[in-house]
Amino acid sequence: MSLAKGFLGGPCLAAQFGLPSGKKPPAETCRLPRTDGQTGSGDSRGNSIMFKKLHSGWKRFEDWANEHDSVPKSTTTQTSQTETGPSAPTQTSTKDQTSNHSDPVTEDTPKPEAYCYTNKSTTSPYKYTPLPSTTKSAIRVLTLLPGRADADIECQLIELDLNNPWTDDDDDEGFEALSYVWGDITETTPIQIDGATVQIGRNLRSALLHLRYQEKSRILWVDAVCINQEDMDERNSQVMLMGDIYTKAARTLVWLGCPCCLLGALNTDRLTYSEGKWLDHLAGIDPLFKAIEILGNEARKLAEEGREVVPKQGEKDEDGTTYDRIKKLKPKWNVIFLENPWWTRIWTLQEIVLAKEARLCMERHELGWDLLCVAIPYYTALGFGDFSEIYAGSKTNSGVEPLNLVNAIREARQPGSELVTEDVGDELLHYLASSHWRDCKMPQDKIFGLMGLFSEGRDVGIEVDYRLDAEDVYRQATKSLLQQSGNLDALGFCYPYKIPRVTNLPSWIPDWGSVGNLALPLMNDAKGQPRTTHASRGLRSNPRWENNDKTLLLDGHIIDTIAKLGRTQVPPNQDDRNEGSLDHMLNDPAMIAEADSFPDRWEDLDPERPIRHFISAWWKGMRMAVPYVAKAFLEIFGNVVEMRETFLQWDEFVAAELGEPHEDRRAIFRDTITTATPCPLEPSVFDSRFDGWLQAVYSIRKLKKRIDRYAPKTYTTLAAVTTFVKMEDDDLPEAFATYTTHTPRRRLGITASKRVCLLPKLTEVGDKVALLRGGRVPMILRPREDGSMQFIGEAYVHGVMDGEAFHEEECIDFRIT
């Protein structure tokens, strides 16, 4: 074994850096120190002799490497570079690089500077002409002029009335609307519009460059350019038209981004390309798009023939099974399609929901949205997907959840659906709940970005005005929700984020802009179905406001006081940015700086001693990373164990408070942690599932007693593995663990009247349990010194969930601030 392989656990160091393969380093360098302190040759003369030999061998190897080739040539042919970036190869294989609307990759293919650099010529800044005030349906569209791949981007802006025919030419199908991610707009790049310069983001430049035809113009609607972003009145009016724009566009082009940026070929610090990686990624996009076509067509075939999907199999041909072929593409597949930033933005939701036809675009490739919707479910049915959220033995495939939510909204908006016929407030809350994790640059856009989903005549009562600050917009949205829905479901989204997007909000206004995980609202049961019970007997709410709409007035009465509390259940995953932990750790500046300083090219190494420099940097990086890796490992396992220990503590907490024996204690505990979610199984079967789950939870107590005192870290790991093994089958849709989804980020409590309840995590002893008119569930309120109440959150309180304790004649006004 070579010294390089021994240290790096990978390929020979000489091969990695292009050292001559015909010669080998001296034999002494191929000996490794043994873990028992002896030398690699079996000599037992002690550590001092071993290190002297190792140092001598290493010195000879380093001298040999530097003597033969101090600056080795790369195995990839390098081309010259200019100030505008590396130039593209003059001849490239065109195999597997065809596209739907362009020539194969040739010298006309966009060069790497398409993503990094700018137009070769610029002029004076573009000045917008105001849109006509005689019509409210006037917009601008962008005429993307034809050009070669390496030519400057030149466009024209023309005005259009959405309510009038596009043109008298029947052959002209209209304009296309672009759906894309703005990305980092602190660094912009110029394009030419009507002979003047407009600064745009790099991702948009990449989109325009690749969507441009060589022989004819293309008509697009692009928000960043077609709206004068400096004119506040125009922004407000145009945002209100976006629903009509995407509805009336001939098609929506979903720009997925630059594959080199997504797959890591672009060094964003230096804005340079590794040419080999660029070509590799460019060639790798075609198989990805072809894979979706294979999956989509195969899924349709199975559906037509009525056949079931065989996991880890699929159709078979001379290249093997579908599963085997797709497995080779999975890493890139996930980055391009399932983890793409396009899914995470609030604006892209309405853009794809409203599209009459949508096509996914990357490089020169296009793919129909409908085909993706068929392919992805088949992809997961074959056994692919990343299961990132673990909770009490149940796993959630979060990778495809964005697609599922989009399709669910599109189906719910069909004529005759319950969503469209219900109160407009419930429709808005449905959109907010489905897009809670989507992000935006301006917190106001979390509300404004959904306004296009409401058809004409469905007034949601929210004014799009960017002059308003986020607090006013969120107040306006929450007020509209409470007024128009007749219920208090919106209050279920009030959550105490550690990293709030908007500060100093009244306690009754949710921070709609935060994208961190929150405790699952109780308006639905644990299975996501509307709650069948109603704590205020189905009465509609009667909200009022005072103090410039800062104080909310609700009718209700207090039924109990919190007397004792259990500990808070940990969140089910480690990517919760608002809970701190792993996300913050991986973004530690010291760790990022160390990673950025690691040498990735031979030219970055010390020319006198390149090998030693590389090993030194590698070892320094390892020493930096190991504590973080160990912490992450223990956190992940510790998280699983702590969740089970919390359930264990809750069960014992209830037993101690209700007393033993208590004939209903077991049922009360089960109903509380499941929030009394109905189960279609026979009661005896469901009870058996509960018994098995509880037994698995208690298994960690036995393990803890055995080894915790000797090896606590070992206990954490073994406890996690043991409970995973003993948990019930995760594939069972009615597994008991799937009924406990309301417990994370909440705590168990006991009231003064011995009621068992599931409470918000910030609940304190002395807080009040109130039944408010229009509330499906009880609410926790905290008295303030001025006589008003602070809203803490929703609660499940056993025995009062169906109006048993609500008395309308006892209601008084609560002032919630």
Side-chain angles (χ1 to χ4, degrees):
M1 180 170 61
S2 71
L3 181 63
K5 187 173 182 179
F7 269 88
L8 301 177
C12 175
L13 190 63
Q16 285 186 345
F17 282 89
L19 292 175
S21 57
K23 298 183 180 180
K24 297 182 179 181
E28 290 88 340
T29 65
C30 296
R31 295 177 181 173
L32 289 175
R34 288 172 47 173
T35 57
D36 57 3
Q38 297 179 351
T39 62
S41 61
D43 194 335
S44 60
R45 286 174 288 179
N47 289 341
S48 60
I49 298 178
M50 175 193 71
F51 284 114
K52 286 181 180 179
K53 280 197 166 189
L54 184 62
H55 182 271
S56 175
W58 175 256
K59 184 65 170 61
R60 293 181 63 186
F61 172 70
E62 190 176 43
D63 293 342
W64 170 86
N66 292 326
E67 176 184 354
H68 283 82
D69 205 339
S70 59
V71 184
K73 297 180 180 179
S74 172
T75 56
T76 303
T77 304
Q78 302 292 325
T79 57
S80 61
Q81 298 187 13
T82 66
E83 293 182 358
T84 59
S87 57
T90 56
Q91 186 175 0
T92 306
S93 172
T94 61
K95 183 180 179 180
D96 292 333
Q97 297 190 27
T98 59
S99 63
N100 292 350
H101 63 84
S102 178
D103 297 330
V105 177
T106 64
E107 62 180 0
D108 291 332
T109 300
K111 299 176 176 58
E113 60 263 27
Y115 310 105
C116 306
Y117 298 97
T118 63
N119 277 17
K120 299 180 180 66
S121 61
T122 58
T123 55
S124 59
Y126 181 83
K127 293 183 179 180
Y128 284 87
T129 301
L131 290 168
S133 58
T134 56
T135 175
K136 294 183 179 180
S137 56
I139 65 170
R140 302 184 188 90
V141 290
L142 185 73
T143 302
L144 181 60
L145 299 178
R148 292 172 56 86
D150 57 351
D152 285 358
I153 296 178
E154 296 186 359
C155 314
Q156 294 175 346
L157 275 178
I158 58 176
E159 294 178 1
L160 169 70
D161 188 345
L162 278 174
N163 293 332
N164 293 329
W166 165 252
T167 178
D168 294 333
D169 186 358
D170 294 336
D171 295 333
D172 201 328
E173 59 181 357
F175 67 94
E176 299 168 299
L178 184 63
S179 177
Y180 69 106
V181 175
W182 278 36
D184 184 7
I185 57 175
T186 58
E187 295 184 4
T188 58
T189 178
I191 61 171
Q192 294 297 107
I193 298 181
D194 296 330
T197 297
V198 172
Q199 297 289 336
I200 63 173
R202 296 186 182 279
N203 191 43
L204 176 54
R205 173 185 166 80
S206 177
L208 296 177
L209 193 87
H210 289 88
L211 295 174
R212 177 173 59 181
Y213 294 131
Q214 291 192 15
E215 303 297 335
K216 65 176 183 177
S217 299
R218 193 166 194 173
I219 311 300
L220 303 172
W221 187 86
V222 184
D223 57 355
V225 176
C226 295
I227 300 176
N228 183 1
Q229 301 295 329
E230 302 299 324
D231 187 334
M232 197 67 67
D233 290 331
E234 182 176 308
R235 284 179 62 187
N236 295 338
S237 62
Q238 291 290 290
V239 167
M240 292 299 295
L241 286 176
M242 285 183 65
D244 288 339
I245 291 172
Y246 281 90
T247 300
K248 295 181 178 181
R251 69 185 56 82
T252 295
L253 304 176
V254 176
W255 175 252
L256 295 176
C258 158
C260 298
C261 299
L262 293 173
L263 297 172
L266 173 62
N267 184 326
T268 55
D269 291 333
R270 303 186 185 91
L271 296 179
T272 58
Y273 266 85
S274 167
E275 188 172 293
K277 285 185 178 180
W278 171 66
L279 293 175
D280 175 64
H281 292 326
L282 187 63
I285 299 304
D286 187 59
L288 289 174
F289 276 73
K290 286 183 178 178
I292 289 191
E293 294 183 10
I294 293 173
L295 288 171
N297 293 330
E298 196 167 293
R300 289 171 175 170
K301 180 180 178 183
L302 292 178
E304 291 174 358
E305 298 176 358
R307 289 188 288 153
E308 294 183 357
V309 179
V310 180
K312 298 186 178 181
Q313 187 66 30
E315 297 293 284
K316 188 175 183 180
D317 54 27
E318 62 275 7
D319 296 326
T321 65
T322 303
Y323 179 85
D324 294 333
R325 295 200 302 272
I326 303 301
K327 187 177 181 180
K328 299 176 182 178
L329 300 171
K330 182 187 174 184
K332 290 184 179 180
W333 171 292
N334 288 351
V335 172
I336 295 299
F337 294 111
L338 301 182
E339 301 170 6
N340 195 292
W342 181 84
W343 296 103
T344 67
R345 313 305 291 179
I346 189 65
W347 288 104
T348 58
L349 175 63
Q350 72 168 5
E351 293 165 0
I352 190 60
V353 167
L354 297 175
K356 65 174 66 174
E357 177 192 349
R359 299 194 65 81
L360 304 168
C361 305
M362 176 173 281
E363 287 287 348
R364 299 284 170 163
H365 299 83
E366 291 188 6
L367 178 76
W369 173 267
D370 293 340
L371 195 60
L372 177 74
C373 292
V374 175
I376 294 297
Y378 185 47
Y379 173 84
T380 57
L382 286 175
F384 295 102
D386 293 328
F387 295 90
S388 61
E389 185 162 299
I390 302 172
Y391 180 66
S394 67
K395 301 176 181 179
T396 302
N397 189 344
S398 59
V400 299
E401 192 63 18
L403 176 65
N404 294 338
L405 287 174
V406 168
N407 289 334
I409 291 178
R410 298 187 77 175
E411 293 177 4
R413 289 173 50 84
Q414 297 301 315
S417 71
E418 294 182 0
L419 178 65
V420 176
T421 57
E422 287 182 352
D423 293 325
V424 69
D426 288 334
E427 184 180 353
L428 174 58
L429 187 61
H430 179 79
Y431 296 148
L432 285 168
S434 300
S435 61
H436 177 76
W437 48 271
R438 289 178 179 260
D439 204 358
C440 51
K441 292 187 180 299
M442 298 183 64
Q444 296 94 322
D445 286 340
K446 201 61 175 287
I447 305 298
F448 296 161
L450 300 174
M451 292 300 98
L453 293 172
F454 293 92
S455 58
E456 187 177 356
R458 291 181 65 80
D459 183 12
V460 73
I462 296 176
E463 178 186 6
V464 175
D465 188 353
Y466 281 96
R467 297 183 184 89
L468 300 175
D469 59 27
E471 180 181 345
D472 291 332
V473 174
Y474 290 178
R475 180 186 296 109
Q476 187 182 77
T478 308
K479 183 178 178 180
S480 176
L481 286 167
L482 295 175
Q483 283 179 320
Q484 302 198 49
S485 66
N487 58 55
L488 305 181
D489 292 347
L491 300 183
F493 291 84
C494 296
Y495 189 76
Y497 296 105
K498 287 186 177 180
I499 308 176
R501 187 74 184 271
V502 180
T503 58
N504 301 321
L505 290 171
S507 64
W508 58 272
I509 300 179
D511 186 357
W512 298 111
S514 293
V515 296
N517 295 322
L518 76 164
L520 194 65
L522 294 175
M523 62 182 184
N524 295 326
D525 62 27
K527 286 293 187 177
Q529 299 301 314
R531 189 167 293 282
T532 57
T533 58
H534 201 288
S536 62
R537 298 184 179 179
L539 296 177
R540 288 180 64 88
S541 61
N542 182 29
R544 291 94 62 206
W545 285 266
E546 62 181 23
N547 189 23
N548 293 325
D549 291 345
K550 294 182 179 179
T551 301
L552 170 65
L553 274 68
L554 294 174
D555 300 332
H557 62 93
I558 293 173
I559 63 169
D560 218 331
T561 302
I562 303 299
K564 294 184 179 180
L565 294 168
R567 71 182 186 182
T568 302
Q569 179 63 285
V570 296
N573 57 15
Q574 289 297 328
D575 62 353
D576 189 331
R577 68 186 67 184
N578 286 296
E579 297 293 341
S581 190
L582 193 60
D583 181 74
H584 290 264
M585 182 185 70
L586 294 178
N587 286 282
D588 183 277
M591 191 171 186
I592 295 176
E594 193 62 46
D596 290 343
S597 65
F598 191 83
D600 55 359
R601 301 182 306 173
W602 185 271
E603 292 80 359
D604 297 331
L605 300 177
D606 183 350
E608 298 297 327
R609 293 183 171 181
I611 307 299
R612 175 173 291 183
H613 184 189
F614 178 83
I615 295 296
S616 174
W618 174 84
W619 180 244
K620 184 179 179 182
M622 284 294 296
R623 291 178 61 186
M624 182 74 184
V626 164
Y628 287 90
V629 174
K631 187 175 187 298
F633 181 81
L634 289 176
E635 277 193 5
I636 292 172
F637 281 105
N639 177 262
V640 174
V641 175
E642 186 178 350
M643 291 158 59
R644 283 133 177 93
E645 288 181 334
T646 300
F647 282 123
L648 188 151
Q649 189 263 353
W650 284 1
D651 185 50
E652 294 176 340
F653 175 64
V654 172
E657 292 301 317
L658 298 186
E660 289 285 8
H662 189 291
E663 58 181 7
D664 295 330
R665 182 193 68 79
R666 180 175 170 277
I668 291 174
F669 178 66
R670 180 199 62 205
D671 289 347
T672 301
I673 62 177
T674 62
T675 62
T677 300
C679 180
L681 301 175
E682 291 291 332
S684 59
V685 176
F686 191 58
D687 287 345
S688 176
R689 297 272 174 87
F690 172 59
D691 290 339
W693 174 85
L694 195 60
Q695 183 180 4
V697 169
Y698 270 91
S699 67
I700 67 173
R701 173 64 59 84
K702 299 177 182 178
L703 187 63
K704 186 179 183 70
K705 289 181 179 179
R706 293 176 184 174
I707 65 175
D708 190 23
R709 68 177 64 182
Y710 305 109
K713 292 183 179 180
T714 303
Y715 153 70
T716 298
T717 304
L718 292 179
V721 174
T722 302
T723 50
F724 267 130
V725 172
K726 291 188 176 182
M727 278 294 175
E728 57 194 334
D729 190 351
D730 293 332
D731 295 331
L732 292 175
E734 302 303 332
F736 182 80
T738 64
Y739 286 82
T740 63
T741 53
H742 280 125
T743 58
R745 304 175 181 87
R746 286 192 168 95
R747 62 194 314 177
L748 212 67
I750 303 291
T751 70
S753 301
K754 295 295 183 180
R755 292 186 174 105
V756 181
C757 40
L758 191 62
L759 302 166
K761 69 176 185 178
L762 292 189
T763 303
E764 297 177 357
V765 172
D767 288 345
K768 306 300 180 181
V769 180
L771 297 180
L772 302 178
R773 183 187 178 98
R776 300 179 197 268
V777 297
M779 307 293 183
I780 304 300
L781 303 178
R782 182 174 302 160
R784 297 183 187 269
E785 293 182 357
D786 61 358
S788 65
M789 291 287 187
Q790 177 186 354
F791 181 77
I792 304 301
E794 297 178 315
Y796 174 92
V797 181
H798 191 268
V800 304
M801 296 299 293
D802 206 15
E804 299 92 331
F806 181 77
H807 303 289
E808 189 175 3
E809 65 276 7
E810 297 180 10
C811 289
I812 61 174
D813 286 345
F814 288 110
R815 298 174 61 252
I816 303 176
T817 57

